[in-house]
Amino acid sequence: MRTTGLFVTFEGPEGSGKTTQLQRLGAWLAQQHIPFVLTREPGGTVIGEEIRDLLHDCAHTEMHARTEILLYSASRAQLVAEVIRPALEAGKIVLCDRYVDSTYAYQGYGRGLPLADLQAITQFATGGLMPKLTLYLDVPVEVGLARRQQSGETLTRLDREAVTFHRRVREGYLTLARQAPQRWRIIDATRAVDEIQTALRDELRPWL
Ligand code: TMP
């Protein structure tokens, strides 16, 4: 399907600061009167937010890796149909906090599920919709996890995974970025918040 808007995704390991940066980018676009939609995964729809609660609930220690991928994909299918495609068709910019690359990094490289299976499920969930640009906020695992703990936010089921899991996730992201350099930009997210914001705006500006 042909879309006219611009689809940009934001990826990163735990504690990369994506959410703060995205809010600021949204404010910057709004100042310029550029129509945009800011959304997130899992979530972004009423159904998706309920799935998010289920996925992140630390009580669900028994959740199987296959259940997990299907739930993330269910949330994604709803978000694509209800929010992302309509916004792109209306010519808007869509900024999405996580998308399919989170599945490849966390369920693929992190959990060890076969990438070919994940690709098939993802294709079904999204109808093949891919972002034009993926901004990856990179932080070493120890830095990211320490930030998450200091933030005072409730830790999710995935935050509680072993450090080795999070290392595989970060390495996975870097591998994915190397495989598709035309779509990915790696942003050093160990820097100050303002510097990271400037770097993100510099990446986005040529597309506006
Ligand atoms: P966040 O919104 O705070 O970034 O939390 C989302 C969590 O869900 C994070 O730990 C990454 C994880 N996740 C996956 O494991 N697979 C996915 O496909 C997505 C979208 C997120």
Side-chain angles (χ1 to χ4, degrees):
M1 184 191 287
R2 203 181 162 279
T3 49
T4 51
L6 174 69
F7 185 21
V8 186
T9 58
F10 294 76
E11 296 285 351
E14 308 305 322
S16 62
K18 278 182 293 92
T19 309
T20 312
Q21 294 294 344
L22 266 161
Q23 277 159 5
R24 292 183 59 171
L25 271 184
W28 176 66
L29 291 176
Q31 250 172 23
Q32 302 172 74
H33 307 290
I34 297 174
F36 73 98
V37 169
L38 179 54
T39 190
R40 70 168 178 183
E41 272 207 8
T45 62
V46 172
I47 293 172
E49 291 296 326
E50 287 198 28
I51 296 173
R52 181 184 179 93
D53 290 343
L54 199 59
L55 276 163
H56 288 180
D57 189 337
C58 293
H60 298 322
T61 49
E62 77 280 27
M63 190 180 290
H64 194 277
R66 286 174 190 261
T67 311
E68 186 178 273
I69 164 67
L70 290 170
L71 286 173
Y72 279 117
S73 299
S75 168
R76 178 167 304 142
Q78 189 65 30
L79 186 69
V80 167
E82 194 181 319
V83 177
I84 301 179
R85 276 198 198 277
L88 293 175
E89 280 159 14
K92 294 181 186 168
I93 296 182
V94 175
L95 305 177
C96 194
D97 188 342
R98 296 194 183 280
Y99 190 58
V100 297
D101 298 300
S102 283
T103 290
Y104 300 134
Y106 283 79
Q107 280 66 50
Y109 290 92
R111 297 252 187 260
L113 290 181
L115 286 178
D117 289 349
L118 300 183
Q119 277 160 354
I121 295 167
T122 299
Q123 167 72 28
F124 179 72
T126 63
L129 181 70
M130 286 296 286
K132 279 275 180 306
L133 181 67
T134 296
L135 299 172
Y136 168 62
L137 276 66
D138 187 49
V139 280
V141 169
E142 289 74 10
V143 175
L145 290 179
R147 276 188 191 165
R148 282 289 283 164
Q149 267 151 10
Q150 284 157 15
S151 72
E153 287 170 49
T154 319
L155 295 186
T156 70
R157 209 169 44 82
L158 279 103
D159 289 321
R160 289 171 186 247
E161 283 292 333
V163 174
T164 48
F165 170 87
H166 292 289
R167 286 218 177 88
R168 289 196 298 276
V169 169
R170 183 188 181 210
E171 284 309 312
Y173 270 130
L174 292 170
T175 303
L176 291 165
R178 274 194 296 270
Q179 284 167 352
Q182 66 289 358
R183 172 163 71 86
W184 288 76
R185 301 289 179 276
I186 300 176
I187 310 288
D188 173 3
T190 59
R191 294 175 288 175
V193 173
D194 286 348
E195 272 182 76
I196 301 169
Q197 181 64 203
T198 303
L200 291 172
R201 290 180 190 184
D202 289 347
E203 291 295 349
L204 214 47
R205 203 172 282 108
W207 296 85
L208 300 179

